C-alpha cells in the first residue's frame, strides 16, 4: 500500500491547489521494529522518505555489525513492491561495544552512526550505557572515524523530575561529552526543550538536532486534554508550551543544524492503552503533512526543503537525494490506525483533517 492509497480525501469543497515540490526527504530517526510490525509500518516511512536512520533498540538490541547486516536484510525483504527506500543502520552502544567491530561496520557501510541510550532512559534501553565516562575510548574512535553518535539525552536518575530530564542531562552529561571530544559529531535526538535547541546552536555545525512532528504539536498539557492521552506519550515527554514554541522556531528558522527525525515509534494499541502504557508515537504516516503545516503556519515554506532534505545529508556526509516529492495544499484525512497482527497501531493525528496532502514521488 502506498501512502497516497492510505489517504482518502474528504468530499469537501474544492480548494485552490498549491504545490510544493521538494527533493526527496530523509527521516534521521525511525523505529521500524521487526516481524509483523516491520511489515505493517515500513510502507508508511518508505512512502514519505528516501532514506531513514534505523534505530537499533530491538529485543535483543542491534549491537554488532553482523546483527545490523541481518536486520537490514529483513528490512529490505519487508519493503513494499516498488518502494525506493534505503535503510541506514545504526549500532546500539553498550558497556561492551567492540571497537574493532564498530570500525568494521562503519568502514563497510553496514552502519552510519551509533545510538547512545543511557541505560534505562527509554524503551529497550536496558542494555544501554551505564557509565558514560567509561565509553570515552569508543567515542574517541568515533571521533577519529567521523562517525556520528546519536544521543538520547535524558537523565536516568529516578530522582530527577521527568520534565527536567533532558535539560539535566544536557547540562551534566552532554556538555562533558562535547568538551571531552571536541571533534565528535553528535546528534541531540528529539529535542524537546529550549535548552536542547540552544545547546545544538552553540555547538553547531558538528552538533545537530532532530525535531519530531509530535513535539511541534504537543505540549505537556496535551497529554491530559479531556483525559489521559496514552497515544501522545513518548520519551522525552512533551514539555511546557514555551518549549514547543522554541522547537517550532528552531525547525523553521533555516538553521542548518536542525533536521527531520520523526522518532516514529509504533506500539500496539494494547501496549499503549494499558495501566502502564509504552512510550512512543507512530507518526510515520502523517509526518510530512504535519511538518509542512508547521512551516506553513510559521510562514516558512521556502525553508522546508532544507530542513527535510538537505541539512541531514550534509551533516552525515551523504549525497543529496535525486528524486522529488510533492506536497499539495489539499485536504486529506489519514487513517485512524494501521492494522497489525489482529490489533492496530494508532496513527498520530489519524482521522483528523489535514490541510496538506502528499502528491507524486519521482525517484
Ligand atoms: O517514545 C519513545 N519511544 N522514545 C524512545 O526513546 C524510544 C521509543 C520506542 O522505541 O518506542
Ligand atoms: Zn527514538
Amino acid at each position: 500500500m502506498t501512502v497516497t492509497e492510505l489517504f482518502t480525501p474528504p468530499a469537501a469543497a474544492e480548494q485552490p491547489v498549491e504545490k510544493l515540490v521538494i527533493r526527496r526527504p530523509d527521516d534521521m530517526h525511525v523505529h521500524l521494529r521487526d516481524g509483523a510490525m516491520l511489515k505493517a509500518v515500513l510502507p508508511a516511512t518508505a512512502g514519505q522518505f528516501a532514506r531513514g536512520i534505523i534505530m537499533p533498540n530491538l529485543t535483543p538490541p542491534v549491537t554488532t555489525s553482523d546483527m545490523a547486516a541481518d536486520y537490514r536484510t529483513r528490512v529490505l525483504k519487508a519493503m513494499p513492491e516498488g518502494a525506493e527506500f534505503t535503510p541506514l543502520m545504526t549500532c546500539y552502544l553498550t558497556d561492551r561495544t567492540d571497537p574493532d567491530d564498530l570500525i568494521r561496520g562503519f568502514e563497510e557501510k553496514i552502519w552510519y552512526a551509533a545510538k547512545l541510550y543511557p541505560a534505562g532512559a527509554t524503551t529497550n534501553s536496558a542494555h544501554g550505557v551505564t557509565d558514560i565516562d567509561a565509553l570515552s575510548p569508543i567515542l574517541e574512535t568515533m571521533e577519529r572515524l567521523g562517525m556520528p553518535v546519536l544521543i538520547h539525552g535524558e537523565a536516568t536518575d529516578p530522582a530527577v523530575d521527568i520534565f527536567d530530564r533532558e535539560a539535566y542531562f544536557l547540562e551534566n552529561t552532554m556538555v562533558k561529552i562535547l568538551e571531552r571530544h571536541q571533534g565528535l559529531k553528535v546528534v541531540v535526538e528529539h529535542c524537546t526543550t529550549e535548552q536542547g535547541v540552544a545547546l545544538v546552536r552553540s555547538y553547531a555545525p558538528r552538533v545537530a538536532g532532530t525535531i519530531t512532528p509530535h513535539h511541534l504539536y504537543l505540549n505537556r498539557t496535551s497529554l491530559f486534554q479531556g483525559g489521559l492521552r496514552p497515544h501522545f506519550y513518548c520519551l522525552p515527554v512533551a514539555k511546557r508550551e514555551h518549549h514547543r514554541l522554541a522547537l517550532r522556531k528552531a525547525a523553521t528558522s533555516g538553521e542548518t543544524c536542525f533536521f527531520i527525525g520523526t522518532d516514529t515509534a509504533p506500539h500496539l494499541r494494547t501496549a499503549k492503552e494499558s495501566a502502564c502504557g509504552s512510550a512512543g508515537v507512530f507518526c510515520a504516516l502523517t509526518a510530512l503533512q504535519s511538518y509542512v503545516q508547521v512551516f506553513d503556519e510559521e510562514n516558512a515554506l521556502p525553508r522546508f526543503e532544507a530542513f527535510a532534505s538537505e541539512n541531514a545529508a550534509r551533516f552525515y556526509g551523504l549525497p543529496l537525494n535525486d528524486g522529488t516529492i510533492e506536497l499539495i495544499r489539499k485536504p486529506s484525512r489519514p487513517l485512524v490506525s494501521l492494522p497489525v497482527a489482529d490489533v492496530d497501531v494508532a496513527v498520530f493525528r489519524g482521522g483528523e483533517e489535514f490541510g496538506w496532502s502528499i502528491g507524486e514521488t519521482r525517484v
Side-chain angles (χ1 to χ4, degrees):
M1 211 162 14
T2 67
V3 162
T4 320
E5 284 163 350
L6 290 170
F7 280 78
T8 341
E14 286 273 311
Q15 284 191 9
V17 171
E18 185 188 314
K19 211 193 284 181
L20 199 62
V21 183
I22 60 164
R23 193 183 283 283
R24 289 188 73 206
D26 297 315
D27 183 351
M28 307 317 270
H29 189 135
V30 188
H31 296 271
L32 287 180
R33 315 300 193 203
D34 219 336
M37 183 69 94
L38 166 63
K39 186 90 188 147
V41 301
L42 182 55
T45 290
Q48 300 214 344
F49 297 99
R51 294 176 294 209
I53 288 278
I54 311 304
M55 289 297 125
N57 62 333
L58 304 182
T59 327
V62 180
T63 52
T64 68
S65 58
D66 284 348
M67 292 172 90
D70 288 349
Y71 185 28
R72 183 175 57 190
T73 303
R74 298 198 297 281
V75 171
L76 294 174
K77 234 174 115 189
M79 203 72 79
E81 212 25 57
E84 288 283 344
F85 175 77
T86 306
L88 305 173
M89 313 314 285
T90 56
C91 167
Y92 182 115
L93 295 175
T94 71
D95 292 337
R96 284 172 300 284
T97 296
D98 171 3
D100 295 333
D101 187 52
L102 187 78
I103 296 169
R104 181 177 88 84
F106 187 69
E107 287 180 342
E108 293 181 10
K109 296 190 187 308
I110 296 169
W111 48 37
Y112 288 78
K115 182 72 188 270
L116 196 177
Y117 289 106
T122 186
T123 310
N124 290 343
S125 65
H127 300 276
V129 175
T130 62
D131 181 355
I132 289 183
D133 291 335
L135 194 67
S136 267
I138 291 288
L139 296 180
E140 266 163 39
T141 303
M142 294 180 68
E143 190 173 347
R144 247 190 347 266
L145 290 172
M147 179 179 186
V149 60
L150 320 179
I151 303 187
H152 183 111
E154 281 196 286
T156 52
D157 179 349
V160 179
D161 187 282
I162 190 163
F163 294 101
D164 297 333
R165 284 182 188 172
E166 179 171 295
Y168 188 96
F169 181 90
L170 296 179
E171 196 179 325
N172 294 287
T173 307
M174 186 75 88
V175 167
K176 216 155 76 179
I177 294 173
L178 292 171
E179 294 301 331
R180 198 180 279 163
H181 305 281
Q182 300 205 351
L184 183 64
K185 288 167 87 168
V186 174
V187 181
V188 180
E189 293 292 347
H190 37 55
C191 297
T192 63
T193 57
E194 274 173 3
Q195 292 94 324
V197 293
L199 179 134
V200 168
R201 285 190 179 107
S202 65
Y203 286 91
R206 61 128 171 166
V207 172
T210 52
I211 300 180
T212 76
H214 38 290
H215 289 112
L216 295 172
Y217 279 86
L218 307 174
N219 60 29
R220 65 186 205 170
T221 302
S222 321
L223 293 168
F224 307 101
Q225 202 139 50
L228 189 61
R229 302 293 198 107
H231 298 289
F232 290 161
Y233 171 57
C234 65
L235 289 171
V237 70
K239 307 295 193 300
R240 287 179 183 274
E241 178 64 0
H242 65 94
H243 292 295
R244 185 183 76 94
L245 296 177
L247 300 180
R248 286 172 73 101
K249 219 172 179 147
T252 58
S253 65
E255 293 162 282
T256 56
C257 53
F258 298 109
F259 46 78
I260 288 184
T262 66
D263 197 15
T264 179
H267 291 275
L268 292 178
R269 180 180 299 279
T270 41
K272 296 286 291 174
E273 296 177 9
S274 143
C276 187
S278 303
V281 172
F282 174 59
C283 59
L285 202 55
T286 48
L288 287 179
Q289 304 89 316
S290 293
Y291 283 123
V292 77
Q293 185 185 333
V294 172
F295 276 72
D296 193 8
E297 288 164 1
E298 302 286 333
N299 291 316
L301 285 177
R303 297 198 277 271
F304 185 54
E305 186 173 32
F307 176 74
S309 319
E310 295 171 359
N311 297 348
R314 295 202 170 108
F315 178 86
Y316 276 79
L318 298 167
L320 295 177
N321 296 312
D322 282 331
T324 55
I325 190 165
E326 295 175 349
L327 296 155
I328 306 169
R329 190 195 296 282
K330 188 177 91 179
S332 61
R333 200 182 291 281
L335 294 180
V336 171
S337 72
L338 208 61
V340 184
D342 295 335
V343 196
D344 67 344
V345 174
V347 171
F348 175 60
R349 303 182 65 206
E352 278 180 34
E353 184 174 311
F354 279 65
W356 289 81
S357 309
I358 301 214
E360 209 180 321
T361 296
R362 282 179 219 279
V363 296

